[in-house]
Amino acid sequence: MTALTIWQIVVLLFVFVAVFMTVATVVLQLRAPNALTRANLMGPLVGVAFPALVIAMLIHEWSTEGFDLNNFLRAIIAILGVWIVASVGSFIIGRSIYGVTVTDAIGPGGRREPSRDHADSELRETPTEQAPEPEPEPQAPPERW
């Protein structure tokens, strides 16, 4: 049995981080309470796991075949591309889910306020004091025949 070299240990660590992030994302996806939370949970998978796998591939290639500028540039473009596409896609998906799932309710005083189950407390409107209702005008007594 041969001992692992340093580059193999580094590759193993990067792959372990990627697998851990993938499993954590899957478990959290299954436990997420709503669609908006599920869309936001894709960050660790796209932001950490995918680049970790690409870096592990680069280290493995460099240690076995030597440095290749073509693979290095392709890896950089792939990582930057997935970060850009994922951030824009996550923003669009999040906005569309937010628009469908948040229902506005009429609060005290006839003011609109977002539903109470929404996580962003800063979006809620603070209730203001109501103006006193005007007194009804006196009505003339009904006429008798």
Side-chain angles (χ1 to χ4, degrees), residues 25-110:
T25 301
V26 168
V27 169
L28 291 173
Q29 288 280 338
L30 294 174
R31 300 177 125 206
N34 55 27
L36 184 59
T37 306
R38 284 186 209 103
N40 289 330
L41 283 174
M42 293 304 292
L45 184 65
V46 174
V48 178
F50 178 75
L53 285 176
V54 172
I55 291 171
M57 186 270 314
L58 278 178
I59 293 172
H60 176 70
E61 290 289 323
W62 291 345
S63 62
T64 56
E65 298 176 12
F67 180 77
D68 184 12
L69 183 62
N70 184 30
N71 283 344
F72 177 70
L73 292 177
R74 288 173 45 195
I76 296 298
I77 291 170
I79 291 172
L80 290 177
V82 79
W83 282 345
I84 292 168
V85 169
S87 63
V88 172
S90 175
F91 174 76
I92 291 171
I93 290 172
R95 292 294 294 189
S96 64
I97 292 172
Y98 177 79
V100 171
T101 59
V102 174
T103 57
D104 290 339
I106 303 298

